[in-house]
């Protein structure tokens, strides 16, 4: 998902909260947590009259949520689903973008046993059929009945596989480019022509067998001069930084058995892993193979209609990749949110792959030539088409925190658990501080928890944390196993105020969560990150729920790796109200926010800034068991703890009302509040004694003054600061600026300049009446010498020169204050 989408965009240290979401985030997501990075430059746009040999390969990444939610979510809201809009747009613009072929990357549906999902996918693909726009399909793990990694395509009962019924060889043979399928029918290959050159798309099934690899070898051998694009559901992954490529065990198996030994394979494209990345490897022939992963299912609205447009620019020896959404530009303007951006422009969302096609293909196709130069820049053309008449909101952006205090304090915060300052094994009984006060967590003893096989070392606090969390630590729960009575948890005390909060005015609950890569459904399904203890089936007025022996409020992960928020609202007779995300990626930090709005009686879950599709209605507040604690790291079943979290939990906050993204834990403190009160300016009289600079700003931030005057201070709890000079400034010219900062993040500078005139001649003796003093104001504090009847002492030339020399870079004496928060 964006953090929006959370992927890095062109500004270093920033991500745009669009569909990518990064947090994704998108994605995406709008903001997985991801590290700062400069986006790669976009492909050089060709001038309007720069015609060349070009074509566009269209790529449809995982469409599973479009199919799953077509009937009950997208159709009622919009009249169409994103999958249908994608294929309609491609057929409409096939000529303008010179699209000879469309390839899918698997996970056509989300639940292979649900007929209605295949119907939705069929409706979308039928658009390509009707327009005679060639395409390939191949099943992903969600398209087969059993996606166990230990099985391959020869292990299936093919008579029961729904993919073969809907998109098998019988349908594929009606596509003009189709050349054949492997013996299982789950893999297929196509030959399409573009710009006078034939290309093969080899579309492989999820987890192919050695027999299917042998079939693929034979297909390539039968077409010895044809460049091959391999598409399948899984090859490369994305590393935990959400940018770098990460090779997989299965992808390396494909590399060793098929890709590196076939020089004709020059490009692989896969989905499966949420986000995007790319990798260039060298095959056995010393030639490059570009591998690309693209998947936006965890972005806003299940992917927000993003697809890949791969412009093959044969004249300029490059493949220019764009990530675009026809769905965003199709939706009614009034439905658009900040996540809806027509193009994603992150480092792996818009990039160029340099490729000398003739040189790359020479070993097997020495006769390769480019076509006639009749096409303009197709990347530019795609932008023109999608942006024509489009009006949408600007994306939201956020930054990495400057230090551990770089977050927004929110009035109404009931509990805020942070792990900064602690490290190592969490001992039994050890507490985690609630920085909001009054609701500290303590580790339950192993004896009291009933976890027979738990060990003290299973719970640790370390530096691993989400990129957008200002808390530089998290608590990690290791070795959790529901089948082995191994779990651990932290809990509030029985008298903690938050235990008895009903949230009648709504709530905002946030947490940063990461699932350990060792997670398995057998050992960790329905594990819990945060719950309110008790048994909902024993609570007065709650309808009996066969699955409901857990707490009245739970945040956990299902057997399908989906986040679930389940709550009994403050009207217990309404029963369970549930929010669901899509499948969550392992070993990746996710920000989860749950917003209950009493105004419209809804609860919305956001993952990396993007709202999930399945949200709860007719719900306000929470029912609870009086004095029952909140638990972090485990669940409950029939009043007994269990279902331990296998992974890490970052800072977690509970607020007693609705707050928006500008106040979430992913947002940064406001550093635009810096003022320098009555800054000196212009030419000041020689009698001026300038000793103090002061102003206002963000409590806890450090004020840094630089230039011909330098010094620092920490802003007080009341929002004021002052820097006091050890002595008054001598005469001379001064230029300086002030910023306020939380660690590495600074505000824009407030600049000022002034000069103090040289020493004037001694005044005539006073007549006894005091002359008015010359005042600058309350900020830059100054005094003048009043006429007291005494002559001013003469300043010697040597002393004056010494003062002027020192005045060029006079360091201020900083008045030390106790800050409300450390500046880091």
């Amino acid at each position: 998902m964006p953090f929006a989408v959370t992927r890095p965009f062109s500004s270093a240290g920033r991500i745009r909260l669009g569909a990518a979401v990064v947090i994704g985030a998108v994605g995406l997501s709008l903001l997985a947590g991801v590290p700062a990075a400069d986006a790669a430059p976009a492909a050089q746009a060709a001038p309007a009259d720069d015609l060349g040999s070009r074509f566009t390969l269209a790529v449809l990444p995982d469409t599973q949520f479009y199919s799953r939610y077509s009937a009950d979510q997208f159709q009622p809201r919009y009249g169409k689903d994103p999958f249908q809009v994608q294929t309609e747009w491609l057929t409409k613009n096939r000529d303008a973008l010179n699209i000879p072929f469309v390839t899918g990357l698997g996970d056509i549906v989300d639940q292979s046993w649900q007929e209605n999902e295949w119907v939705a996918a069929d409706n979308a693909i039928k658009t390509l059929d009707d327009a005679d726009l060639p395409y390939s399909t191949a099943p992903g793990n969600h398209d087969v009945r059993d996606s166990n990694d230990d099985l391959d395509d020869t292990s299936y009962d093919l008579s029961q596989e729904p993919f073969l019924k809907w998109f098998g060889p019988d349908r594929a043979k009606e596509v003009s480019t189709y050349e054949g399928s492997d013996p299982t029918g789950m893999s297929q290959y196509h030959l399409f022509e573009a710009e006078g050159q034939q290309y093969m798309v080899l579309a492989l099934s999820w987890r192919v067998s050695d027999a299917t690899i042998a079939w693929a070898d034979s297909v390539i051998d039968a077409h010895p001069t044809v460049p091959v694009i391999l598409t399948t559901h899984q090859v490369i992954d994305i590393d935990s930084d959400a940018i770098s490529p990460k090779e997989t065990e299965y992808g390396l198996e494909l590399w060793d058995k098929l890709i590196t030994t076939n020089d004709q394979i020059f490009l692989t494209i896969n989905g499966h892993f949420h986000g995007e990345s790319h990798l260039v490897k060298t095959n056995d022939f010393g030639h490059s193979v570009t591998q690309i992963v693209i998947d936006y299912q965890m972005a806003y609205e299940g992917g927000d209609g993003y697809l890949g447009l791969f412009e093959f620019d044969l004249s300029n020896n490059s493949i220019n990749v764009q990530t675009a959404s026809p769905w965003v530009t199709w939706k009614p303007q009034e439905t658009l949110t900040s996540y809806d951006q027509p193009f994603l422009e992150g480092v792996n969302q818009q990039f160029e792959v340099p490729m000398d096609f003739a040189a790359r293909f020479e070993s097997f196709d020495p006769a390769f030539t480019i076509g006639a130069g009749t096409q303009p820049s197709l990347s530019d053309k795609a932008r023109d088409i999608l942006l024509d008449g489009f009006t949408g909101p600007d994306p939201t952006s956020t930054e990495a925190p400057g230090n551990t205090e770089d977050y927004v304090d929110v009035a109404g915060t009931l509990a805020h658990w942070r792990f900064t300052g602690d490290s190592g094994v969490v001992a039994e009984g050890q507490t985690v501080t609630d920085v909001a006060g009054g609701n500290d967590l303590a580790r339950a003893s192993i004896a009291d928890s009933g976890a027979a096989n738990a060990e003290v070392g299973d719970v640790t606090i370390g530096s691993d944390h989400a990129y957008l969390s200002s808390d530089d630590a998290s608590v990690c729960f290791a070795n959790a196993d529901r089948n082995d009575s191994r779990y651990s948890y932290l809990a509030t005390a029985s008298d903690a105020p938050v235990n008895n909060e009903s949230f009648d005015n709504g709530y905002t609950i946030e947490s940063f969560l990461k699932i350990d890569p060792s997670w398995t459904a057998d050992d960790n399904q329905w594990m819990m990150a945060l719950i309110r203890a008790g048994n909902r089936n024993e609570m007065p007025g709650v309808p009996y729920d066969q699955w409901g022996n857990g707490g009245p409020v739970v945040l956990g992960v299902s057997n399908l790796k989906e986040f679930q928020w389940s709550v009994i609202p403050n009207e217990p007779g309404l029963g369970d109200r549930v929010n669901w995300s899509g499948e969550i990626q392992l070993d990746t930090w996710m920000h989860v926010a749950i917003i209950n709005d009493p105004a419209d009686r809804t609860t919305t879950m956001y993952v990396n800034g993007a709202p999930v599709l399945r949200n709860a209605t007719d719900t306000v507040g929470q029912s609870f068991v009086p004095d029952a604690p909140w638990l972090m790291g485990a669940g409950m079943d029939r009043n007994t703890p269990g279902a331990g979290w296998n992974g890490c939990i970052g800072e977690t906050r509970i607020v007693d009302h609705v707050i928006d993204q500008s106040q979430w834990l992913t947002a940064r403190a406001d550093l635009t509040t810096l003022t320098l009160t009555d800054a000196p300016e212009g030419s000041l009289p020689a009698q001026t004694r300038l000793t103090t600079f002061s102003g206002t700003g963000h409590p806890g931030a450090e004020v840094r003054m630089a230039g011909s005057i330098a010094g620092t201070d920490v802003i007080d709890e009341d929002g004021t600061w002052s820097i006091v000079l050890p002595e008054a400034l001598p005469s001379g010219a001064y230029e300086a600026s002030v910023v306020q900062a939380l660690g590495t993040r600074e505000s824009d500078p407030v600049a000022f300049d002034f000069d103090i005139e040289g020493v004037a001649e001694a005044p005539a003796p006073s007549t006894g009446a005091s002359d008015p003093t010359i005042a600058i104001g309350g900020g830059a504090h100054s005094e003048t010498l009043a006429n007291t009847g005494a002559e001013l002492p003469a300043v010697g030339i040597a002393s004056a020169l010494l003062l002027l020399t020192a005045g060029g870079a006079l360091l201020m004496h900083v008045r030390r204050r106790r800050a409300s928060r450390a500046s880091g």
Side-chain angles (χ1 to χ4, degrees):
M1 275 191 181
F3 201 91
V5 173
T6 73
R7 299 284 180 249
F9 277 65
S10 55
S11 297
R14 292 178 177 267
I15 64 172
R16 296 177 71 179
L17 300 186
V21 185
V22 135
I23 186 59
V26 120
L28 17 104
S29 194
L30 185 195
L31 246 179
V34 294
D38 289 328
Q44 183 67 39
D49 58 350
D50 179 18
L51 301 180
S53 178
R54 302 179 174 101
F55 71 89
T56 303
L57 175 70
V59 179
L60 293 173
D62 307 40
T63 57
Q64 62 198 77
F65 290 145
Y66 309 149
S67 300
R68 177 169 179 172
Y69 301 117
S70 177
D72 64 348
Q73 299 286 343
F74 290 114
Q75 294 284 350
R77 294 180 192 176
Y78 302 105
K80 294 183 180 180
D81 63 56
F83 197 175
Q84 184 178 0
V85 170
Q86 286 177 324
T87 55
E88 288 178 350
W89 186 84
L90 291 173
T91 58
K92 178 181 178 181
N93 295 287
R94 63 183 299 182
D95 293 334
L97 299 180
N98 195 18
I99 302 174
F101 199 80
V102 179
T103 184
L105 301 181
D107 277 3
I108 303 166
V109 301
D110 191 51
Q111 301 171 113
S112 63
W113 60 92
Q114 294 291 345
E115 183 90 353
N116 65 305
E117 297 185 28
W118 292 103
V119 170
D122 174 65
N123 289 335
I125 294 296
K126 190 174 183 296
T127 303
L128 301 179
D129 289 328
D130 292 344
D132 293 324
L133 178 54
Y135 64 91
S136 65
T137 58
N141 57 303
H142 282 263
D143 302 320
V144 297
R145 295 176 65 247
D146 188 346
S147 62
N148 190 311
D149 287 350
D150 295 331
L151 304 177
D152 60 42
D153 53 359
T154 62
S155 306
Y156 306 144
D157 180 352
L158 299 176
S159 66
Q160 300 299 311
E161 287 298 330
F163 173 83
L164 294 176
K165 171 186 173 182
W166 291 92
F167 296 106
D170 288 343
R171 180 170 188 165
K173 68 184 181 182
E174 301 301 322
V175 179
S176 61
T177 55
Y178 175 73
E179 292 291 326
S181 294
D182 76 304
T184 71
M186 305 289 275
S187 298
Q188 57 188 237
Y189 81 100
H190 295 251
L191 295 176
F192 71 86
E193 185 173 313
E195 296 295 292
Q197 169 72 40
Q198 240 183 11
Y199 296 85
M200 179 189 296
V201 170
L202 181 61
L204 297 183
S205 174
W206 172 256
R207 292 293 188 270
V208 294
S209 60
D210 286 346
T212 301
I213 289 177
W215 167 83
D217 276 327
S218 69
V219 164
I220 296 173
D221 291 344
H223 301 83
T225 64
V226 178
V228 177
I229 301 165
L230 187 153
T231 63
T232 189
H233 194 54
Q234 179 188 351
V235 181
I236 64 168
D237 191 358
I238 305 147
D239 214 337
S240 57
D241 64 3
I243 296 174
S244 304
K246 177 182 178 181
E247 297 196 86
T248 67
E249 181 180 356
Y250 177 68
L252 289 171
E253 181 181 345
L254 281 180
W255 175 265
D256 292 337
K257 293 182 176 180
L258 177 65
I259 300 169
T260 191
T261 57
N262 283 286
D263 195 29
Q264 291 165 249
I265 301 176
F266 70 99
L267 176 65
T268 74
I269 314 172
N270 69 275
H272 189 57
F273 297 105
H274 311 152
E276 64 288 307
S277 190
H278 69 283
L279 170 68
V280 179
K281 296 186 68 174
T282 302
N283 65 16
D284 287 352
F285 303 86
H287 298 148
S288 66
V289 179
T290 301
Q291 300 186 305
I292 296 174
V293 54
I294 174 174
D295 173 16
Y296 293 101
Q297 70 188 72
M298 292 309 298
Y300 176 55
E301 292 200 323
D304 216 19
Y306 288 103
L307 51 76
L309 298 174
F310 290 48
E311 179 194 30
F312 283 64
D313 189 341
L314 306 177
S315 295
N316 293 293
N317 289 317
S318 67
I319 302 174
N320 302 316
V321 178
Q322 288 198 108
T323 304
S325 176
W327 170 251
V328 166
T329 59
W330 176 86
K331 284 189 291 187
Q333 199 277 336
E334 64 271 16
T335 68
L336 299 179
T337 72
S338 60
Y339 307 104
D340 292 307
Q341 300 301 314
F343 290 90
L344 299 181
E345 298 173 345
V347 62
N348 291 308
Q349 297 163 336
Q350 180 174 297
F351 61 96
E352 177 183 2
V353 179
M355 183 170 295
D356 185 332
F357 294 97
R360 177 61 182 85
F361 301 160
E362 184 177 13
S363 64
F364 57 86
D365 186 13
F368 171 81
T369 57
I370 66 174
T374 61
Q375 296 291 339
S377 167
L378 300 178
S379 295
D380 288 351
K381 185 67 173 178
R383 297 188 75 88
D384 291 343
I385 292 170
L386 275 175
L387 297 178
D388 183 24
F390 175 74
T391 303
D394 292 333
T396 305
S397 63
T398 190
E399 298 177 86
N403 66 4
T404 58
E405 300 303 314
D406 195 0
Y407 66 92
V408 181
D409 281 323
V410 177
T413 298
L414 303 182
H416 188 182
W417 297 297
R418 288 167 62 88
F419 304 96
T420 295
D422 292 322
S423 64
V425 173
V426 179
E428 296 171 278
Q430 180 178 331
T431 59
V432 171
T433 301
D434 168 22
V435 297
N439 298 289
D440 291 352
L441 294 168
R443 181 176 179 183
S445 71
I446 293 174
D448 289 343
S449 72
N453 295 311
E455 297 181 6
V456 173
D458 288 345
V459 185
T460 57
I461 292 176
S463 60
D464 187 16
H465 66 285
Y467 169 67
L468 289 179
S469 171
S470 61
D471 189 3
D472 61 5
S474 67
V475 59
C476 295
F477 300 86
N479 305 310
D481 188 336
R482 65 183 298 113
N483 300 310
D484 194 32
S485 188
R486 190 162 185 172
Y487 56 87
S488 305
Y489 63 88
L490 314 176
T492 57
S494 60
D495 60 350
V498 75
N499 294 350
N500 295 318
E501 176 61 48
S502 62
F503 299 101
D504 294 338
N505 293 318
Y507 53 81
T508 300
I509 297 178
E510 297 178 80
S511 187
F512 292 93
L513 302 173
K514 186 168 83 165
I515 304 172
D516 193 82
S518 66
W519 185 97
T520 67
D522 287 343
D523 295 337
N524 306 119
Q525 61 181 311
W526 304 109
M527 67 184 192
M528 299 298 164
L530 185 70
I531 73 163
R532 299 185 80 161
N535 184 338
R536 60 175 59 183
N537 275 337
E538 295 177 352
M539 296 170 61
V542 177
Y544 180 78
D545 180 353
Q546 64 173 325
W547 310 110
N549 290 304
V553 176
V554 300
L555 171 61
V557 171
S558 75
N559 59 328
L560 299 177
K561 296 201 301 289
E562 303 159 311
F563 284 135
Q564 181 202 44
W565 172 255
S566 173
V567 61
I568 303 298
N570 60 11
E571 300 174 63
L574 294 174
D576 190 24
R577 290 293 183 266
V578 184
N579 299 68
W580 297 89
S581 77
E583 183 181 358
I584 299 301
Q585 190 170 346
L586 301 179
D587 200 30
T588 301
W589 279 106
M590 300 281 179
H591 173 262
V592 180
I594 300 138
I595 315 294
N596 176 237
D597 188 346
D600 57 12
R601 298 179 62 85
T602 61
T603 300
T604 303
M605 175 192 288
Y606 297 80
V607 178
N608 284 352
V612 302
L613 283 172
R614 292 178 291 174
N615 288 303
T617 58
D618 196 21
T619 174
V620 175
Q622 300 175 8
S623 291
F624 60 93
V625 175
D627 300 325
W630 288 74
L631 272 57
M632 178 181 287
M636 295 195 76
D637 186 15
R638 296 175 176 84
N639 301 306
T640 301
W645 184 259
N646 183 18
C648 299
I649 301 175
E651 64 175 320
T652 301
R653 184 170 68 177
I654 300 174
V655 178
D656 67 1
H657 62 282
V658 174
I659 60 174
D660 63 25
Q661 286 190 343
S662 67
Q663 296 179 297
W664 289 359
L665 292 171
T666 52
R668 304 281 69 89
D670 184 6
L671 294 183
T672 66
T673 57
L674 178 68
T675 68
L676 175 62
T677 309
D678 297 327
E681 60 182 10
S683 183
L684 307 180
Q687 297 94 331
T688 302
R689 292 179 54 82
L690 193 56
T691 60
T692 305
F693 290 82
S694 61
T696 62
H698 180 79
E702 182 183 40
V703 176
R704 302 168 182 168
M705 184 176 289
S708 52
I709 312 167
T712 61
D713 191 18
V714 176
I715 301 175
D716 275 347
E717 293 181 11
D718 65 1
T720 63
W721 60 271
S722 63
I723 299 174
V724 181
L725 301 170
E727 56 186 13
L729 290 174
S731 60
Y734 297 90
E735 292 185 1
S737 64
V738 182
V739 299
Q740 63 174 336
L742 289 169
T744 58
R745 200 170 66 85
E746 293 185 343
S747 67
D748 291 334
V750 176
F752 62 96
D753 63 87
F754 63 93
D755 62 81
I756 300 176
E757 297 174 353
V759 177
E761 295 181 1
S766 171
T767 60
S770 295
D771 293 338
T773 60
I774 303 173
I776 303 300
H781 183 69
S782 61
E783 299 175 352
T784 60
L785 294 176
N787 292 333
T788 61
E791 291 187 1
L792 292 174
V795 179
I797 294 176
S799 298
L801 287 174
L802 179 62
L803 286 171
L804 287 171
T805 301
L810 184 62
L811 291 178
M812 299 180 178
H813 170 71
V814 179
R815 186 178 65 189
R816 298 295 180 187
R817 299 177 174 214
R818 179 182 177 86
S820 61
R821 297 182 296 181
S823 61

